[in-house]
Amino acid sequence: MENNVGRALIRQAGPRTQDIVQVARQMYYRGLALERPVCTEDVADALDEVVRNEDPLIRSLWNEISAHQQDVLRVLALNAEQIYSSDVRDRYGLPAAERAFAAACGSGARTSRCAPK
């Protein structure tokens, strides 16, 4: 294994330990299949393989949530700040603040962000 493979793996997979482990595991299997040490060029391919393997689960979860929830999550993925502001709502076509909050939290959600105060 090249010296920079670990660094490339963390840069591609991001800070979550689970993601790093999944990509590292896929790289291990990739090295076995290719019968050679992995290199930095293998990182992107391993990440693509992990995403492809996770796609059916993620897609099924995505399809279970409402259109409003999907819209709110798309805007959050863009790192929009002040998601409840009229500017953000108008720019991205989000519902009113109460509906955007309900969509983000889902019906009956009780997480630290969504639990009633």
Side-chain angles (χ1 to χ4, degrees):
M1 180 167 76
E2 291 179 4
N3 288 338
N4 293 326
V5 172
R7 250 187 235 108
L9 188 154
I10 292 170
R11 189 172 36 256
Q12 287 282 325
R16 274 183 16 133
T17 303
Q18 179 180 349
D19 297 337
I20 294 168
V21 169
Q22 279 185 287
V23 175
R25 184 178 296 121
Q26 191 63 40
M27 287 187 62
Y28 171 76
Y29 292 133
R30 185 175 182 74
L32 288 177
L34 296 172
E35 297 180 347
R36 66 166 172 76
V38 292
C39 59
T40 55
E41 289 78 22
D42 292 313
V43 175
D45 292 335
L47 180 60
D48 287 344
E49 290 167 3
V50 168
V51 170
R52 226 179 0 265
N53 291 336
E54 296 290 326
D55 184 65
L57 172 63
I58 301 301
R59 194 167 304 280
S60 71
L61 293 171
W62 182 259
N63 290 333
E64 288 179 10
I65 63 175
S66 72
H68 288 303
Q69 288 173 314
Q70 291 176 359
D71 290 342
V72 170
L73 289 173
R74 284 184 190 104
V75 173
L76 290 172
L78 296 172
N79 291 324
E81 293 184 20
Q82 300 177 347
I83 190 169
Y84 303 116
S85 71
S86 60
D87 179 49
V88 170
R89 286 192 337 259
D90 293 344
R91 184 177 320 143
Y92 297 107
L94 293 178
E98 296 81 22
R99 290 184 68 199
F101 180 79
C105 294
S107 60
R110 295 217 176 261
T111 65
S112 60
R113 288 183 148 178
C114 300
K117 304 249 187 234

